[in-house]
Amino acid sequence: MMAENSILPTVAGGKGTFSSDTEKEAEVLSGQTSTLKRKHESESEEYVSPTKKLDTGEGHSQKVATHYNRLQECGLAERSRSRIIHLRNFNNWMKSVLIGEILDKVGRGHRGVAVLDLGCGKGGDLLKWRKARISRLVCADIADVSVEQCRQRYNDMRSRGYPGERIFNAEFITADCARELLSEKLSDPKLRFDVCSCQFVYHYSFESEAQADTMLRNACERLRPGGFFIGTTPDAYELVKRLEASDSNSFGNEVYRVTFQQKGSYPLFGCQYDFSLEGVVNVPEFLVYFPLFEEMAKRYNMRLVYKKTFHEFFEEKIKNEQNKILMQRMQGLEAYPGDDRARLASDSPGEYDHAEKIAENHGVRLPLGTLSKSEWEATSIYLVFVFEKMP
Ligand SMILES: C[S@@+](CC[C@H](N)C(=O)[O-])C[C@H]1O[C@@H](n2cnc3c(N)ncnc32)[C@H](O)[C@@H]1O
C-alpha cells in the first residue's frame, strides 16, 4: 500500500517479509538457489571515501576516469553499515526492473541477445545480464581500473557458474565514450546490439554537444531495429526546481548535496553542478535537458518510448508481485519500525514521519518497507528513459 498524499515510497509488509540475508539478492537475480553460496557476487557499485575534489588542471574526461578508478569496492559488511545501503539497493532494484522489462521485450533466451553496457563501471550489472540470459555483452567505460575489475568479476562469475550453465560471452573496452567511437573498437565490427544500457552515466557527456552526440551515437548506431536504449540519469527539471527553491546555489540533506555554480541561467550544454553522496564529492555532472536529448536521439532514428521519474517508475512497478518480492529480497526498502537488533538508518528527527503516520493506522501490516526522507530525496532526483530504434 502506498502512502497517501506522500511522495515517499512506503509499502506495507508483514512480519517476516523482509529478509535479513543480503545474499538472497544474488539468488533472485540469478534465479538459481545455488548462487546463495556465492558470497561475493555483489550487485551494486560501492564506494569508499575519496574526500577531496580532484585536480581541476586535468581535462574533464581524465578527471572522470581518475575519480572512478580511485573508488574501491568495499565488502558486504562495510556496505551493510552504510547510511545509504537502502538507497543503493533501491537504485539497484530500479535498474533490475528496467532491465528485466526490456529483456522481456526483446525476447530473452530465444535467440542470442547482445547488450552494450555503456559506462559499465566495475560491473555492477553483471548479475542482471546473467539472470537475463543474454548471450553477448560488451562492457565499456572510461575508467580502465573499473573495466579491469569488471572483467575480473565476470571471470569469477564464469568460473563459479553452475555445471552446464551458459554464461554470456563478454568483451571489455576502455574508452571515453563521449569522444571515441566504440564501433571502431569492437572485436566484431558487424556486431548489432539488442539493448544498450547506460545507467547513471549519460549526464557526464552533456558537457558539450559534440560529447553528448558521440555518447548517443555509441549508444544507438549499432542497435538493431526494434532494439532499445535504456538508462537512468538525473532529471534536470527536478534539479532546477530544487535549486530555485533554495536560497543559495546549493541544496541537499544529510545524505546528498547538489551545488551549482550559478542560478537562473541554464545553458543547454555544459551546465555544470557538483553532486555529493554521503559527503563524497563526485566529479562534475551536467544537466541533461530531456527535450533536447529526445530531439538529438532522433538523429539516430530513436523514438522515445517513455521517460519516467524514479517516483513514477517505482509506483508503477511495485504493484507487480514479482517486483515486490525482488524489492524485499534486495532490501531496497528499510523495515519500519526496525526490530530490536536493527537500528534505523537515520536517527535524525523527521526522517521516518511518513512511515510512522502510516504505521499508526489500524490494520496496516508491519513492518512497512520505506526509505528515510533524506534517501528518498536523493534518489528521486533521477529518471528512467527508454528509447527504441526505428526500422
Ligand atoms: C555512477 S557510475 C555508474 C556505473 C554503472 N553503470 C552502474 O550503474 O553501476 C558512472 C560511470 O560512468 C563512467 N563514465 C563517465 N563518463 C564516461 C565516458 N565519457 N565514457 C565512458 N564511461 C564514462 C564512469 O567511469 C563510471 O564508471
Side-chain angles (χ1 to χ4, degrees):
M1 186 183 72
M2 290 299 304
E4 271 173 27
N5 303 323
S6 167
I7 60 152
L8 293 152
T10 306
V11 182
K15 209 164 168 48
T17 309
F18 289 86
S19 160
S20 60
D21 184 356
T22 51
E23 300 307 325
K24 284 192 177 158
E25 176 187 354
E27 176 194 11
V28 172
L29 287 161
S30 71
Q32 301 297 328
T33 311
S34 60
T35 56
L36 271 170
K37 295 192 198 87
R38 299 180 194 119
K39 287 245 180 238
H40 302 292
E41 290 180 349
S42 61
E43 179 62 12
S44 54
E45 295 252 350
E46 277 302 324
Y47 310 132
V48 289
S49 311
T51 45
K52 293 204 181 115
K53 267 199 197 179
L54 296 157
D55 178 8
T56 46
E58 296 171 324
H60 178 68
S61 307
Q62 189 53 46
K63 273 193 282 176
V64 174
T66 309
H67 173 76
Y68 280 101
N69 277 335
R70 280 186 194 164
L71 296 171
Q72 290 161 26
E73 294 280 328
C74 65
L76 284 173
E78 188 172 335
R79 175 182 307 184
S80 63
R81 281 194 296 272
S82 163
R83 162 71 178 90
I84 55 166
I85 174 68
H86 296 289
L87 161 76
R88 290 195 189 287
N89 291 346
F90 181 87
N91 286 351
N92 220 11
W93 177 85
M94 299 288 280
K95 289 196 288 178
S96 294
V97 172
L98 173 63
I99 287 171
E101 173 186 298
I102 295 306
L103 265 294
D104 280 345
K105 281 198 209 295
V106 296
R108 63 175 104 199
H110 297 311
R111 64 175 163 80
V113 170
V115 173
L116 169 62
D117 190 339
L118 193 59
C120 60
K122 296 168 172 50
D125 291 338
L126 285 173
L127 283 177
K128 300 180 185 75
W129 304 127
R130 179 188 190 177
K131 182 192 174 196
R133 290 188 286 124
I134 66 168
S135 55
R136 176 135 196 91
L137 179 67
V138 174
C139 293
D141 200 286
I142 194 172
D144 56 339
V145 174
S146 299
V147 173
E148 266 324 296
Q149 287 179 357
C150 182
R151 185 203 301 274
Q152 190 56 51
R153 230 165 165 175
Y154 167 76
N155 288 339
D156 291 349
M157 191 172 96
R158 267 199 97 115
S159 61
R160 290 201 295 250
Y162 62 86
E165 181 180 8
R166 286 231 303 265
I167 294 181
F168 55 85
N169 292 318
E171 175 177 351
F172 302 86
I173 300 173
T174 300
D176 179 347
C177 302
R179 293 175 197 269
E180 299 168 77
L181 288 182
L182 284 177
S183 53
E184 292 169 1
K185 294 177 174 253
L186 290 172
S187 62
D188 172 5
K190 293 206 187 87
L191 184 62
R192 295 245 162 222
F193 296 106
D194 299 278
V195 176
C196 169
S197 171
C198 187
Q199 306 295 342
F200 302 105
V201 178
Y202 191 65
H203 43 292
Y204 292 107
S205 75
F206 249 65
E207 185 176 10
S208 70
E209 180 170 6
Q211 285 165 269
D213 182 63
T214 302
M215 186 74 103
L216 199 50
R217 180 167 169 189
N218 280 323
C220 305
E221 76 173 346
R222 305 220 53 84
L223 279 177
R224 67 173 85 250
F228 293 95
F229 170 36
I230 62 173
T232 42
T233 195
D235 180 355
Y237 173 75
E238 191 60 39
L239 289 171
V240 170
K241 191 174 82 178
R242 294 186 196 192
L243 176 66
E244 293 286 340
S246 146
D247 48 18
S248 71
N249 284 352
S250 177
F251 58 89
N253 58 36
E254 65 182 42
V255 306
Y256 87 104
R257 179 143 298 274
V258 173
T259 307
F260 278 77
Q261 290 166 338
Q262 58 173 12
K263 217 162 151 174
S265 160
Y266 308 103
L268 293 177
F269 297 98
C271 189
Q272 185 179 319
Y273 59 91
D274 287 322
F275 179 79
S276 66
L277 198 57
E278 268 198 311
V280 179
V281 180
N282 212 326
V283 276
E285 301 185 0
F286 301 92
L287 277 189
V288 178
Y289 179 54
F290 206 90
L292 175 61
F293 178 24
E294 186 182 348
E295 212 45 46
M296 288 170 70
K298 288 180 186 162
R299 293 177 193 162
Y300 300 100
N301 220 6
M302 302 300 294
R303 172 187 76 90
L304 181 66
V305 179
Y306 67 73
K307 165 189 80 105
K308 289 176 186 157
T309 63
F310 265 30
H311 183 211
E312 290 164 342
F313 190 82
F314 164 75
E315 284 224 38
E316 180 186 319
K317 303 301 175 190
I318 199 67
K319 290 180 184 137
N320 175 292
E321 203 49 40
Q322 289 306 313
N323 292 341
K324 208 181 269 182
I325 291 167
L326 186 65
M327 178 69 96
Q328 287 161 355
R329 297 219 175 154
M330 289 176 79
Q331 299 190 48
L333 296 174
E334 184 175 14
Y336 181 90
D339 63 34
D340 292 344
R341 286 164 298 146
R343 283 193 331 139
L344 291 167
S346 173
D347 48 19
S348 303
E351 285 288 312
Y352 296 93
D353 284 358
H354 55 287
E356 196 181 332
K357 220 179 268 173
I358 295 168
E360 279 166 7
N361 289 339
H362 278 304
V364 172
R365 279 197 309 148
L366 298 177
L368 303 172
T370 193
L371 282 180
S372 65
K373 187 165 169 282
S374 292
E375 284 173 288
W376 178 244
E377 282 173 5
T379 194
S380 56
I381 280 175
Y382 291 91
L383 58 77
V384 173
F385 62 81
V386 176
F387 287 92
E388 183 178 7
K389 179 101 168 193
M390 304 312 289

